[in-house]
Amino acid sequence: MDQTATLLQHAKPDQLVELVLPHLWAALADGRVPANVCVDACMTLRHAYGQLGVRAELLPVDLAVQCKDGSGTRYGSLTPSWSGTSWNGHCVLVLPDSERFVDATVEQFDEVREIGAGPMIGKVALPTHDCGMLMEPGAQVMLQRGDLVLTYTIAGPDALASIVEHPEMAAHADRHHRTGVNAASFTLAALRGEGVRGRAMQAPHPRLRALLRAVGDARYEADEGGDVRFRVADQTGRELWLRMDEIPLPPTVPAAWPRS
């Protein structure tokens, strides 16, 4: 939460959503994440980003973590597969419009967690041509975390299909959407805070700006199941407790991602 507070205080308008959301998710989910931590996190955060108007796409990777002495460990796989309900790969998100790379669960790996810097977020160079994937299979992204060098190698379309086409994902689609909406709701509440809202209203996300206007300083609360609702007026002017995905917005506001 300290890292989240620092980002809220100092992040530029175009960085706020992209940086704050994964850190806030990590703080909220600490100790309560499912077994398939990276897949569930990416599915949840994809919906959360999308509710706030940011497109996010899944990216299966192989990850090599190299220590200062040259030793290292590999995580994930270029050819991941399922064992029952467990997936043996590693998954991150890429944000095409800002060319950011987000590994929200990098601290599941002991040597990275010891540094204590939270999710890994970096910039990537996306190809300008349309090859069917956001990043070319086999391409590498190298990021520094303390004395560690993290090398992500992009897996191919079969690896992505192993996630999105698996029955486990269909079985948990509603949960991923619901938890994503809740993570986005907490983020929205944080972005309307004093000293933050002005910068958030300058962010390049029309949907975020519309949501900030819609909720204003309305009260919000989470029920026992974790569902967050804001006390806002509906189209008839009645005040209701509404989830973020129920709040009426002008028809000109872009729809949430992912879009069918």
Side-chain angles (χ1 to χ4, degrees):
M1 292 302 291
D2 290 343
Q3 294 164 341
T4 304
T6 299
L7 289 170
L8 286 168
Q9 183 178 1
H10 297 292
K12 297 177 181 178
D14 66 317
Q15 298 174 330
L16 272 170
V17 173
E18 284 94 337
L19 303 188
V20 168
L21 177 55
H23 280 85
L24 185 57
W25 172 87
L28 294 171
D30 186 30
R32 294 181 286 113
V33 292
N36 284 318
V37 59
C38 64
V39 171
D40 283 290
C42 285
M43 286 294 195
T44 293
L45 287 170
R46 185 182 185 217
H47 284 285
Y49 273 123
Q51 287 294 318
L52 297 170
V54 179
R55 180 186 171 199
E57 300 296 344
L58 274 67
L59 195 66
V61 296
D62 173 270
L63 171 60
V65 180
Q66 185 175 21
C67 301
K68 190 176 182 179
D69 62 5
S71 63
T73 307
R74 286 186 61 190
Y75 301 100
S77 172
L78 293 178
T79 56
S81 60
W82 288 81
S83 176
T85 59
S86 296
W87 189 69
N88 71 350
H90 187 50
C91 186
V92 300
L93 289 172
V94 63
L95 313 182
D97 295 326
S98 61
E99 296 191 327
R100 284 196 172 93
F101 182 95
V102 179
D103 188 349
T105 63
V106 70
E107 289 198 334
Q108 68 182 294
F109 309 123
D110 292 343
E111 62 269 51
V112 183
R113 185 170 60 250
E114 288 177 0
I115 298 173
M120 176 68 80
I121 305 170
K123 295 285 284 185
V124 294
L126 297 182
T128 56
H129 62 280
D130 184 7
C131 63
M133 288 192 66
L134 290 170
M135 297 190 70
E136 194 75 29
Q140 291 189 328
V141 176
M142 298 181 68
L143 300 171
Q144 188 87 23
R145 173 61 60 89
D147 289 334
L148 303 177
V149 176
L150 282 67
T151 302
Y152 295 86
T153 303
I154 311 305
D158 289 344
L160 179 60
S162 76
I163 302 175
V164 299
E165 297 178 5
H166 196 273
E168 274 292 296
M169 294 301 100
H172 294 96
D174 289 342
R175 188 193 72 186
H176 291 140
H177 173 79
R178 181 175 64 84
T179 54
V181 170
N182 290 329
S185 298
F186 283 119
T187 303
L188 183 68
L191 293 177
R192 66 180 186 171
E194 184 178 356
V196 183
R197 189 180 188 279
R199 276 177 291 127
M201 288 297 292
Q202 298 174 36
H205 311 303
R207 185 174 181 84
L208 169 64
R209 299 195 300 267
L211 284 165
L212 285 168
R213 287 191 290 266
V215 300
D217 59 357
R219 290 182 295 147
Y220 74 100
E221 61 182 34
D223 61 23
E224 292 182 357
D227 285 325
V228 181
R229 291 179 173 82
F230 293 86
R231 183 72 171 176
V232 297
D234 67 5
Q235 293 173 327
T236 68
R238 294 183 305 162
E239 283 199 346
L240 300 171
W241 288 102
L242 299 178
R243 288 166 49 94
M244 176 185 284
D245 55 352
E246 298 171 336
I247 295 174
L249 299 174
T252 55
V253 175
W257 296 96
R259 301 170 186 168
S260 56

